Amino acid sequence: MMSILLKVENVQTHIGQYHILQGVSFEAKEGQVSVLLGRNGAGKTTTLKTIMGLTPATSGTIHFQDKEITKQATHHIASSGIGYVPEDQGIFGALTVEENLKVAMRKEDDAALARQEYVLELFPDLKKYWKKDGGHLSGGQKQMLSMARAFINDSKLLLIDEPSKGLAPVVIEKVMEAIVEMKKQTTIILVEQNFIMASRIGDTYTLIDDGETVRSGQMSELVQNEELKRQYLGIG
Amino acid sequence: MELIINLLINGLATGMLIFLLAAGLTLIFGLMDVLNFAHGGLFAWGAFSGVWFYGLTNSFTIAIIGAILTGAVLGFITEKIIIKPVYGNHIQQILITLGFMIVLSEMLKVVFGPNQIAAKTPPLLSGSWEIGDVIIIKYRLFIIVVGFLVFGVFQFILKRTKIGLIVRAGVMNKEMVQALGINIKQVFLYVFMVGAALAALGGALMAPYSGVVYAEMGMEFAILAFIVVVIGGMGSFPGSLLAAILVGLAGSFMAYYVPALSLAVNMMLMAIVLIFRPQGLFTAKG
């Protein structure tokens, strides 16, 4: 039985005057890829930002490794073992690939350097463009750098927001392979619009609509549920 | 030729003093997105405390260290009490820091009295060297050397150390830096203190250069520092150095050749840069 790593319960988030999340609940189990699905503007990205404390929850609770992190500062949440890959990748454009990874590395010990070697094997392009400014990388390379940066601190959980967005199919395939590889070492919560990709790598799904969780379950069930896909994802 | 060299040295020395003030300002604006109009007040406090420590100990080294510490402590207090409540709100920042600038200036009058105070140049740095027809004033050369030294040290810190990387990353994307597990608020505080200490160092060096210190000197130099930050590019350290040298040299040459335009030249320089490169000569954002 896999243990629950992250538990989000009835989370509500306001951004300014807007009530974005109106009751999001789901669990992420250790070693799995949990996919958040829903239409544009449903609240998937805000859910990840709320977990990270970037748009703090106004009510509800978030537990990570059985500790409540709902009101914690973002840097505490990240330090507790959650890596974040934002939708825009968040690359420091004027820093080189090496520097982007160095900023992220909280401890420069042997374990961290081993993980750096691992991500460079996973993404050989990063090694190739080691001294190149992050701002000059292609969209796919930026995505790889952002994922490598989130992974480098022995993160127990990775939050990855729309990794396929704006990428060519061949690059999407590479990113997918990398996520499958990373899954062997960590737990992943993935926001993804590309249902084909999501269904191939996801173990579980959570459907979010108008800021609320409408359904959660095994990905294999959703793949076969044409009605649910049509109603909430506009496909099928 | 000797005239040109003298004007160059004058301009460079003035430019370096402005650089020390602008360097802190550009870091504070670039990283923290804070418009700190009280920065000139920290410069003036540096000047007064430098003169006070020098009078007390007769050691220029202690005077400089004392001024730097005064600046850092005032920077700590300013960030905690004045800046912290107004992060993210430029209008409130302008109002509260302008108000605090006046408070800092008036406090100088309360502590040191309302009159100008004479500032002595340390004997070792007094006088001049004559090389042919060129007269090089030692203290001005000293300021130039200190300016380049400070630039070199900070460039090294920004480019080659972890804390420097964090500051540069923070200028580009604060949210992401936090999401990597770094306490950006603490980094803000340190940067603010370092910026204030740099301003105070500038003030302490300015005192013997101008020969007197007075409470309003902060505001006068703060305007030049803001011009430098705009010309150099918000958040860019090399940009500030280049712009400060340009402003210093332009002021020096104009004051000699076209005195009527000597005050307007900085504004003209800023207007030209803004027309052709609104983001400034350099940019720190990635």
Side-chain angles (χ1 to χ4, degrees):
Chain A
M1 181 89 179
M2 272 176 265
S3 62
I4 295 166
L5 191 66
L6 183 95
K7 190 168 188 175
V8 176
E9 285 176 292
N10 196 25
V11 160
Q12 311 227 2
T13 301
H14 291 76
I15 300 177
Q17 58 181 322
Y18 302 106
H19 192 178
I20 308 291
L21 300 188
Q22 303 178 22
V24 169
S25 303
F26 69 95
E27 294 169 355
K29 286 184 178 155
E30 218 167 306
Q32 290 198 332
V33 176
S34 309
V35 186
L36 303 185
L37 293 164
R39 292 192 176 91
N40 270 337
K44 306 181 297 293
T45 294
T46 305
T47 301
L48 293 193
K49 286 190 166 189
T50 298
I51 295 169
M52 285 308 296
L54 293 166
T55 52
T58 36
S59 66
T61 57
I62 304 168
H63 285 83
F64 175 61
Q65 291 182 313
D66 296 327
K67 281 185 193 155
E68 187 171 353
I69 59 165
T70 324
K71 301 287 178 197
Q72 281 191 10
T74 300
H75 68 276
H76 280 306
I77 294 170
S79 300
S80 67
I82 303 182
Y84 178 51
V85 182
E87 195 176 2
D88 65 0
Q89 294 130 6
I91 296 303
F92 305 119
L95 301 191
T96 63
V97 169
E98 179 189 14
E99 289 171 334
N100 266 278
L101 290 174
K102 203 171 178 184
V103 166
M105 215 184 265
R106 284 194 285 277
K107 272 190 212 163
E108 286 188 44
D109 53 13
D110 290 347
L113 293 172
R115 274 193 301 279
Q116 180 173 289
E117 275 307 306
Y118 172 78
V119 292
L120 291 179
E121 275 171 32
L122 205 58
F123 306 115
D125 274 8
L126 299 184
K127 205 169 192 172
K128 195 170 156 190
Y129 299 115
W130 193 237
K131 294 287 178 190
K132 196 172 177 177
D133 279 354
H136 295 141
L137 299 175
S138 69
Q141 289 159 353
K142 281 182 184 166
Q143 187 61 49
M144 292 167 194
L145 178 55
S146 190
M147 285 165 61
R149 206 174 51 181
F151 188 76
I152 210 159
N153 283 311
D154 191 23
S155 300
K156 301 280 180 291
L157 173 67
L158 286 188
L159 311 181
I160 307 179
D161 197 354
E162 298 238 28
S164 69
K165 194 178 175 184
L167 302 184
V170 63
V171 184
I172 292 176
E173 199 60 38
K174 272 189 190 173
V175 170
M176 257 178 69
E177 282 169 17
I179 293 173
V180 170
E181 183 61 32
M182 283 171 150
K183 185 190 159 186
K184 293 175 189 166
Q185 300 203 27
T186 188
T187 304
I188 294 169
I189 295 176
L190 182 71
V191 164
E192 187 51 67
Q193 288 277 10
N194 180 335
F195 184 70
I196 298 169
M197 176 175 171
S199 60
R200 276 175 58 190
I201 55 178
D203 297 299
T204 63
Y205 75 93
T206 297
L207 269 176
I208 298 175
D209 196 47
D210 284 338
E212 274 183 279
T213 299
V214 288
R215 193 127 163 192
S216 292
Q218 294 300 311
M219 184 60 83
S220 52
E221 292 166 16
L222 180 64
V223 170
Q224 287 166 15
N225 193 329
E226 298 300 328
E227 175 57 29
L228 213 55
K229 283 194 281 181
R230 197 166 31 249
Q231 192 179 350
Y232 292 108
L233 303 175
I235 53 173
Chain B
M1 187 61 191
E2 59 272 21
L3 175 68
I4 301 287
I5 293 172
N6 280 330
L7 290 176
L8 266 174
I9 291 172
N10 284 353
L12 272 176
T14 311
M16 285 305 171
L17 290 171
I18 304 168
F19 163 68
L20 291 173
L21 188 56
L25 205 59
T26 201
L27 278 182
I28 289 167
F29 186 83
L31 177 68
M32 302 160 71
D33 199 24
V34 167
L35 290 164
N36 179 23
F37 281 85
H39 204 67
L42 303 166
F43 177 83
W45 268 90
F48 273 82
S49 54
V51 169
W52 185 79
F53 276 110
Y54 188 58
L56 200 69
T57 63
N58 224 17
S59 160
F60 194 57
T61 311
I62 293 176
I64 294 288
I65 294 168
I68 289 172
L69 290 177
T70 303
V73 170
L74 279 175
F76 179 85
I77 295 166
T78 309
E79 200 274 345
K80 287 280 180 198
I81 298 171
I82 305 294
I83 304 294
K84 213 170 179 181
V86 294
Y87 275 126
N89 190 326
H90 282 160
I91 299 293
Q92 286 185 3
Q93 284 166 14
I94 292 168
L95 292 174
I96 199 166
T97 57
L98 267 176
F100 193 58
M101 168 80 210
I102 295 166
V103 171
L104 284 173
S105 294
E106 294 306 309
M107 284 299 288
L108 279 172
K109 292 177 188 169
V110 172
V111 176
F112 297 101
N115 301 319
Q116 290 188 346
I117 299 174
K120 285 181 280 184
T121 309
L124 192 68
L125 299 170
S126 298
S128 56
W129 289 297
E130 283 184 40
I131 303 167
D133 290 333
V134 179
I135 298 166
I136 298 171
I137 296 167
K138 285 182 190 175
Y139 192 73
R140 289 181 187 175
L141 198 66
F142 169 72
I143 289 173
I144 295 168
V145 171
V146 172
F148 277 116
L149 209 62
V150 167
F151 176 74
V153 168
F154 273 80
Q155 274 299 89
F156 177 81
I157 292 170
L158 285 171
K159 297 273 184 191
R160 301 267 175 242
T161 66
K162 181 75 184 274
I163 184 72
L165 271 182
I166 291 169
V167 170
R168 284 164 63 209
V171 170
M172 289 173 244
N173 190 338
K174 282 185 276 290
E175 201 172 75
M176 195 63 231
V177 169
Q178 291 179 82
L180 293 175
I182 294 158
N183 185 352
I184 197 82
K185 284 181 185 167
Q186 205 165 33
V187 178
F188 280 3
L189 175 63
Y190 294 153
V191 167
F192 202 92
M193 287 172 70
V194 169
L198 275 178
L201 170 65
L205 292 176
M206 176 69 191
Y209 182 72
S210 62
V212 286
V213 293
Y214 48 99
E216 292 78 17
M217 65 190 290
M219 186 53 106
E220 290 170 17
F221 263 79
I223 292 166
L224 286 175
F226 270 100
I227 291 172
V228 160
V229 170
V230 171
I231 293 175
M234 309 279 191
S236 169
F237 213 68
S240 280
L241 178 73
L242 183 65
I245 290 174
L246 276 176
V247 165
L249 289 176
S252 171
F253 278 83
M254 283 302 233
Y256 185 82
Y257 289 109
V258 197
L261 284 179
S262 66
L263 289 175
V265 65
N266 299 320
M267 294 294 176
M268 283 157 57
L269 207 58
M270 183 167 73
I272 292 166
V273 170
L274 283 176
I275 289 167
F276 294 103
R277 260 186 89 81
Q279 73 276 33
L281 296 175
F282 287 72
T283 173
K285 308 268 179 190

